mmCIF file of all heavy atoms in Angstrom:
data_model
loop_
_atom_site.group_PDB
_atom_site.id
_atom_site.type_symbol
_atom_site.label_atom_id
_atom_site.label_comp_id
_atom_site.label_asym_id
_atom_site.label_seq_id
_atom_site.Cartn_x
_atom_site.Cartn_y
_atom_site.Cartn_z
ATOM 1 N N ARG U 18 -91.023 136.229 -19.536
ATOM 2 C CA ARG U 18 -91.536 134.924 -20.018
ATOM 3 C C ARG U 18 -93.004 135.090 -20.331
ATOM 4 O O ARG U 18 -93.884 134.748 -19.555
ATOM 5 C CB ARG U 18 -91.320 133.893 -18.935
ATOM 6 C CG ARG U 18 -89.868 133.487 -18.792
ATOM 7 C CD ARG U 18 -89.682 132.410 -17.764
ATOM 8 N NE ARG U 18 -89.224 133.021 -16.543
ATOM 9 C CZ ARG U 18 -89.435 132.520 -15.331
ATOM 10 N NH1 ARG U 18 -90.132 131.414 -15.204
ATOM 11 N NH2 ARG U 18 -89.003 133.132 -14.268
ATOM 12 N N VAL U 19 -93.286 135.617 -21.506
ATOM 13 C CA VAL U 19 -94.668 135.868 -21.903
ATOM 14 C C VAL U 19 -95.125 134.809 -22.870
ATOM 15 O O VAL U 19 -94.440 134.500 -23.862
ATOM 16 C CB VAL U 19 -94.789 137.287 -22.571
ATOM 17 C CG1 VAL U 19 -96.209 137.542 -22.984
ATOM 18 C CG2 VAL U 19 -94.286 138.359 -21.624
ATOM 19 N N ASN U 20 -96.269 134.192 -22.560
ATOM 20 C CA ASN U 20 -96.866 133.171 -23.438
ATOM 21 C C ASN U 20 -98.276 133.635 -23.791
ATOM 22 O O ASN U 20 -99.256 133.156 -23.216
ATOM 23 C CB ASN U 20 -96.895 131.826 -22.748
ATOM 24 C CG ASN U 20 -95.517 131.301 -22.452
ATOM 25 O OD1 ASN U 20 -94.680 131.201 -23.331
ATOM 26 N ND2 ASN U 20 -95.257 130.952 -21.198
ATOM 27 N N PRO U 21 -98.379 134.573 -24.725
ATOM 28 C CA PRO U 21 -99.721 135.100 -25.055
ATOM 29 C C PRO U 21 -100.580 134.036 -25.723
ATOM 30 O O PRO U 21 -100.089 133.184 -26.436
ATOM 31 C CB PRO U 21 -99.430 136.265 -26.038
ATOM 32 C CG PRO U 21 -98.073 135.989 -26.562
ATOM 33 C CD PRO U 21 -97.333 135.205 -25.551
ATOM 34 N N GLU U 22 -101.860 134.145 -25.458
ATOM 35 C CA GLU U 22 -102.837 133.237 -26.068
ATOM 36 C C GLU U 22 -104.154 133.989 -26.227
ATOM 37 O O GLU U 22 -104.375 134.988 -25.535
ATOM 38 C CB GLU U 22 -103.053 132.000 -25.197
ATOM 39 C CG GLU U 22 -103.609 132.309 -23.800
ATOM 40 C CD GLU U 22 -103.790 131.069 -22.957
ATOM 41 O OE1 GLU U 22 -104.776 130.353 -23.189
ATOM 42 O OE2 GLU U 22 -102.973 130.805 -22.050
ATOM 43 N N PRO U 23 -104.999 133.574 -27.147
ATOM 44 C CA PRO U 23 -106.285 134.247 -27.278
ATOM 45 C C PRO U 23 -107.155 133.947 -26.060
ATOM 46 O O PRO U 23 -107.305 132.785 -25.656
ATOM 47 C CB PRO U 23 -106.880 133.663 -28.537
ATOM 48 C CG PRO U 23 -105.929 132.677 -29.067
ATOM 49 C CD PRO U 23 -104.793 132.533 -28.136
ATOM 50 N N ILE U 24 -107.674 134.984 -25.434
ATOM 51 C CA ILE U 24 -108.569 134.866 -24.271
ATOM 52 C C ILE U 24 -109.872 135.591 -24.582
ATOM 53 O O ILE U 24 -109.843 136.780 -24.896
ATOM 54 C CB ILE U 24 -107.911 135.436 -23.022
ATOM 55 C CG1 ILE U 24 -106.578 134.743 -22.691
ATOM 56 C CG2 ILE U 24 -108.857 135.337 -21.818
ATOM 57 C CD1 ILE U 24 -105.803 135.386 -21.586
ATOM 58 N N ASP U 25 -110.966 134.865 -24.455
ATOM 59 C CA ASP U 25 -112.276 135.498 -24.610
ATOM 60 C C ASP U 25 -112.681 135.990 -23.216
ATOM 61 O O ASP U 25 -113.012 135.200 -22.323
ATOM 62 C CB ASP U 25 -113.320 134.505 -25.157
ATOM 63 C CG ASP U 25 -114.644 135.151 -25.451
ATOM 64 O OD1 ASP U 25 -114.865 136.302 -25.025
ATOM 65 O OD2 ASP U 25 -115.463 134.511 -26.126
ATOM 66 N N LEU U 26 -112.639 137.293 -23.000
ATOM 67 C CA LEU U 26 -112.948 137.863 -21.704
ATOM 68 C C LEU U 26 -114.374 137.578 -21.261
ATOM 69 O O LEU U 26 -114.657 137.482 -20.069
ATOM 70 C CB LEU U 26 -112.674 139.363 -21.732
ATOM 71 C CG LEU U 26 -111.232 139.803 -21.935
ATOM 72 C CD1 LEU U 26 -111.125 141.320 -22.033
ATOM 73 C CD2 LEU U 26 -110.331 139.258 -20.848
ATOM 74 N N ALA U 27 -115.287 137.420 -22.213
ATOM 75 C CA ALA U 27 -116.665 137.145 -21.880
ATOM 76 C C ALA U 27 -116.809 135.790 -21.197
ATOM 77 O O ALA U 27 -117.719 135.573 -20.404
ATOM 78 C CB ALA U 27 -117.529 137.201 -23.138
ATOM 79 N N GLN U 28 -115.894 134.853 -21.501
ATOM 80 C CA GLN U 28 -115.929 133.522 -20.870
ATOM 81 C C GLN U 28 -115.009 133.509 -19.635
ATOM 82 O O GLN U 28 -115.293 132.865 -18.637
ATOM 83 C CB GLN U 28 -115.472 132.471 -21.853
ATOM 84 C CG GLN U 28 -116.461 132.244 -22.992
ATOM 85 C CD GLN U 28 -115.979 131.173 -23.966
ATOM 86 O OE1 GLN U 28 -114.991 130.535 -23.714
ATOM 87 N NE2 GLN U 28 -116.714 131.001 -25.049
ATOM 88 N N HIS U 29 -113.882 134.179 -19.728
ATOM 89 C CA HIS U 29 -112.864 134.131 -18.658
ATOM 90 C C HIS U 29 -113.277 134.916 -17.416
ATOM 91 O O HIS U 29 -113.077 134.437 -16.283
ATOM 92 C CB HIS U 29 -111.529 134.673 -19.212
ATOM 93 C CG HIS U 29 -110.391 134.555 -18.246
ATOM 94 N ND1 HIS U 29 -109.797 133.368 -17.954
ATOM 95 C CD2 HIS U 29 -109.767 135.501 -17.509
ATOM 96 C CE1 HIS U 29 -108.821 133.579 -17.062
ATOM 97 N NE2 HIS U 29 -108.813 134.860 -16.778
ATOM 98 N N LEU U 30 -113.825 136.092 -17.564
ATOM 99 C CA LEU U 30 -114.067 136.961 -16.429
ATOM 100 C C LEU U 30 -115.150 136.427 -15.471
ATOM 101 O O LEU U 30 -114.984 136.585 -14.223
ATOM 102 C CB LEU U 30 -114.422 138.384 -16.889
ATOM 103 C CG LEU U 30 -113.236 139.141 -17.512
ATOM 104 C CD1 LEU U 30 -113.675 140.516 -17.987
ATOM 105 C CD2 LEU U 30 -112.085 139.246 -16.540
ATOM 106 N N PRO U 31 -116.224 135.831 -15.941
ATOM 107 C CA PRO U 31 -117.198 135.276 -14.961
ATOM 108 C C PRO U 31 -116.567 134.241 -14.012
ATOM 109 O O PRO U 31 -116.835 134.221 -12.829
ATOM 110 C CB PRO U 31 -118.284 134.656 -15.814
ATOM 111 C CG PRO U 31 -118.253 135.464 -17.091
ATOM 112 C CD PRO U 31 -116.776 135.762 -17.284
ATOM 113 N N ARG U 32 -115.706 133.376 -14.576
ATOM 114 C CA ARG U 32 -115.016 132.406 -13.736
ATOM 115 C C ARG U 32 -114.067 133.098 -12.762
ATOM 116 O O ARG U 32 -113.986 132.705 -11.597
ATOM 117 C CB ARG U 32 -114.238 131.412 -14.607
ATOM 118 C CG ARG U 32 -115.136 130.419 -15.344
ATOM 119 C CD ARG U 32 -114.321 129.298 -15.969
ATOM 120 N NE ARG U 32 -113.389 129.742 -16.965
ATOM 121 C CZ ARG U 32 -113.623 129.736 -18.298
ATOM 122 N NH1 ARG U 32 -114.798 129.313 -18.732
ATOM 123 N NH2 ARG U 32 -112.717 130.144 -19.141
ATOM 124 N N PHE U 33 -113.380 134.108 -13.249
ATOM 125 C CA PHE U 33 -112.452 134.848 -12.404
ATOM 126 C C PHE U 33 -113.214 135.523 -11.252
ATOM 127 O O PHE U 33 -112.777 135.482 -10.084
ATOM 128 C CB PHE U 33 -111.695 135.917 -13.242
ATOM 129 C CG PHE U 33 -110.847 136.807 -12.398
ATOM 130 C CD1 PHE U 33 -109.565 136.420 -12.022
ATOM 131 C CD2 PHE U 33 -111.294 138.046 -11.967
ATOM 132 C CE1 PHE U 33 -108.781 137.228 -11.229
ATOM 133 C CE2 PHE U 33 -110.532 138.895 -11.206
ATOM 134 C CZ PHE U 33 -109.229 138.466 -10.823
ATOM 135 N N ILE U 34 -114.335 136.134 -11.533
ATOM 136 C CA ILE U 34 -115.131 136.795 -10.513
ATOM 137 C C ILE U 34 -115.620 135.800 -9.454
ATOM 138 O O ILE U 34 -115.596 136.085 -8.253
ATOM 139 C CB ILE U 34 -116.329 137.550 -11.139
ATOM 140 C CG1 ILE U 34 -115.812 138.786 -11.913
ATOM 141 C CG2 ILE U 34 -117.341 137.979 -10.078
ATOM 142 C CD1 ILE U 34 -116.853 139.460 -12.742
ATOM 143 N N GLU U 35 -116.005 134.622 -9.913
ATOM 144 C CA GLU U 35 -116.423 133.579 -8.980
ATOM 145 C C GLU U 35 -115.313 133.196 -8.032
ATOM 146 O O GLU U 35 -115.494 133.048 -6.832
ATOM 147 C CB GLU U 35 -116.922 132.360 -9.797
ATOM 148 C CG GLU U 35 -117.529 131.276 -8.924
ATOM 149 C CD GLU U 35 -118.003 130.091 -9.771
ATOM 150 O OE1 GLU U 35 -118.453 130.331 -10.924
ATOM 151 O OE2 GLU U 35 -117.965 128.953 -9.269
ATOM 152 N N GLU U 36 -114.097 133.033 -8.596
ATOM 153 C CA GLU U 36 -112.943 132.665 -7.775
ATOM 154 C C GLU U 36 -112.567 133.718 -6.747
ATOM 155 O O GLU U 36 -112.362 133.410 -5.566
ATOM 156 C CB GLU U 36 -111.709 132.380 -8.655
ATOM 157 C CG GLU U 36 -111.823 131.101 -9.472
ATOM 158 C CD GLU U 36 -110.665 130.956 -10.423
ATOM 159 O OE1 GLU U 36 -109.617 131.587 -10.229
ATOM 160 O OE2 GLU U 36 -110.803 130.157 -11.371
ATOM 161 N N ILE U 37 -112.509 134.986 -7.166
ATOM 162 C CA ILE U 37 -112.104 136.030 -6.235
ATOM 163 C C ILE U 37 -113.201 136.322 -5.196
ATOM 164 O O ILE U 37 -112.905 136.612 -4.064
ATOM 165 C CB ILE U 37 -111.678 137.309 -6.983
ATOM 166 C CG1 ILE U 37 -110.883 138.208 -6.023
ATOM 167 C CG2 ILE U 37 -112.877 138.078 -7.549
ATOM 168 C CD1 ILE U 37 -110.140 139.337 -6.733
ATOM 169 N N SER U 38 -114.454 136.135 -5.593
ATOM 170 C CA SER U 38 -115.544 136.300 -4.613
ATOM 171 C C SER U 38 -115.491 135.218 -3.570
ATOM 172 O O SER U 38 -115.651 135.455 -2.363
ATOM 173 C CB SER U 38 -116.894 136.273 -5.326
ATOM 174 O OG SER U 38 -116.996 137.339 -6.242
ATOM 175 N N HIS U 39 -115.237 134.000 -4.019
ATOM 176 C CA HIS U 39 -115.116 132.865 -3.078
ATOM 177 C C HIS U 39 -113.929 133.070 -2.147
ATOM 178 O O HIS U 39 -114.027 132.816 -0.912
ATOM 179 C CB HIS U 39 -114.971 131.546 -3.848
ATOM 180 C CG HIS U 39 -114.864 130.334 -2.991
ATOM 181 N ND1 HIS U 39 -115.909 129.823 -2.301
ATOM 182 C CD2 HIS U 39 -113.787 129.552 -2.688
ATOM 183 C CE1 HIS U 39 -115.511 128.776 -1.576
ATOM 184 N NE2 HIS U 39 -114.222 128.587 -1.834
ATOM 185 N N ALA U 40 -112.790 133.491 -2.665
ATOM 186 C CA ALA U 40 -111.588 133.714 -1.852
ATOM 187 C C ALA U 40 -111.815 134.787 -0.801
ATOM 188 O O ALA U 40 -111.245 134.730 0.303
ATOM 189 C CB ALA U 40 -110.410 134.084 -2.742
ATOM 190 N N ASN U 41 -112.627 135.787 -1.092
ATOM 191 C CA ASN U 41 -112.918 136.882 -0.166
ATOM 192 C C ASN U 41 -114.196 136.687 0.656
ATOM 193 O O ASN U 41 -114.602 137.575 1.394
ATOM 194 C CB ASN U 41 -112.972 138.208 -0.929
ATOM 195 C CG ASN U 41 -111.634 138.675 -1.369
ATOM 196 O OD1 ASN U 41 -110.851 139.256 -0.579
ATOM 197 N ND2 ASN U 41 -111.292 138.437 -2.628
ATOM 198 N N LYS U 42 -114.851 135.499 0.440
ATOM 199 C CA LYS U 42 -116.089 135.175 1.159
ATOM 200 C C LYS U 42 -117.160 136.307 0.927
ATOM 201 O O LYS U 42 -117.779 136.770 1.874
ATOM 202 C CB LYS U 42 -115.825 134.960 2.634
ATOM 203 C CG LYS U 42 -114.925 133.750 2.902
ATOM 204 C CD LYS U 42 -114.668 133.572 4.382
ATOM 205 C CE LYS U 42 -113.886 132.334 4.690
ATOM 206 N NZ LYS U 42 -112.564 132.260 4.046
ATOM 207 N N LEU U 43 -117.274 136.691 -0.315
ATOM 208 C CA LEU U 43 -118.247 137.699 -0.689
ATOM 209 C C LEU U 43 -119.239 137.134 -1.691
ATOM 210 O O LEU U 43 -118.869 136.269 -2.496
ATOM 211 C CB LEU U 43 -117.545 138.904 -1.340
ATOM 212 C CG LEU U 43 -116.611 139.746 -0.464
ATOM 213 C CD1 LEU U 43 -115.801 140.695 -1.322
ATOM 214 C CD2 LEU U 43 -117.417 140.513 0.574
ATOM 215 N N PRO U 44 -120.456 137.623 -1.707
ATOM 216 C CA PRO U 44 -121.397 137.180 -2.767
ATOM 217 C C PRO U 44 -120.875 137.645 -4.107
ATOM 218 O O PRO U 44 -120.362 138.779 -4.234
ATOM 219 C CB PRO U 44 -122.722 137.822 -2.391
ATOM 220 C CG PRO U 44 -122.381 138.936 -1.448
ATOM 221 C CD PRO U 44 -121.104 138.586 -0.786
ATOM 222 N N PRO U 45 -121.006 136.833 -5.171
ATOM 223 C CA PRO U 45 -120.518 137.249 -6.504
ATOM 224 C C PRO U 45 -121.164 138.558 -6.971
ATOM 225 O O PRO U 45 -120.578 139.248 -7.829
ATOM 226 C CB PRO U 45 -120.906 136.094 -7.403
ATOM 227 C CG PRO U 45 -121.022 134.902 -6.501
ATOM 228 C CD PRO U 45 -121.495 135.467 -5.175
ATOM 229 N N SER U 46 -122.329 138.907 -6.439
ATOM 230 C CA SER U 46 -123.005 140.157 -6.857
ATOM 231 C C SER U 46 -122.249 141.402 -6.423
ATOM 232 O O SER U 46 -122.551 142.494 -6.904
ATOM 233 C CB SER U 46 -124.443 140.195 -6.309
ATOM 234 O OG SER U 46 -124.409 140.159 -4.898
ATOM 235 N N THR U 47 -121.241 141.249 -5.566
ATOM 236 C CA THR U 47 -120.447 142.396 -5.159
ATOM 237 C C THR U 47 -119.676 142.972 -6.362
ATOM 238 O O THR U 47 -119.421 144.185 -6.446
ATOM 239 C CB THR U 47 -119.438 142.009 -4.048
ATOM 240 O OG1 THR U 47 -120.135 141.393 -2.971
ATOM 241 C CG2 THR U 47 -118.680 143.211 -3.509
ATOM 242 N N ILE U 48 -119.327 142.077 -7.280
ATOM 243 C CA ILE U 48 -118.602 142.500 -8.480
ATOM 244 C C ILE U 48 -119.529 142.389 -9.687
ATOM 245 O O ILE U 48 -120.047 141.300 -9.993
ATOM 246 C CB ILE U 48 -117.361 141.611 -8.721
ATOM 247 C CG1 ILE U 48 -116.415 141.686 -7.481
ATOM 248 C CG2 ILE U 48 -116.609 142.049 -9.963
ATOM 249 C CD1 ILE U 48 -115.220 140.763 -7.568
ATOM 250 N N ASN U 49 -119.756 143.497 -10.340
ATOM 251 C CA ASN U 49 -120.655 143.537 -11.495
ATOM 252 C C ASN U 49 -119.832 143.518 -12.760
ATOM 253 O O ASN U 49 -118.863 144.269 -12.905
ATOM 254 C CB ASN U 49 -121.508 144.846 -11.426
ATOM 255 C CG ASN U 49 -122.534 144.914 -12.509
ATOM 256 O OD1 ASN U 49 -123.056 143.892 -12.941
ATOM 257 N ND2 ASN U 49 -122.794 146.109 -12.979
ATOM 258 N N LEU U 50 -120.219 142.700 -13.708
ATOM 259 C CA LEU U 50 -119.504 142.556 -14.961
ATOM 260 C C LEU U 50 -120.365 143.034 -16.136
ATOM 261 O O LEU U 50 -121.490 142.609 -16.292
ATOM 262 C CB LEU U 50 -119.098 141.091 -15.178
ATOM 263 C CG LEU U 50 -118.424 140.726 -16.518
ATOM 264 C CD1 LEU U 50 -117.098 141.462 -16.661
ATOM 265 C CD2 LEU U 50 -118.222 139.230 -16.614
#
């Protein structure tokens, strides 16, 4: 069940990093983009 869509990684990844950093209780600076 694939629903491809255009994703701008430059916009998507900063939000993703914020979410995973928050979930792991780590400062966002742990992950460099």
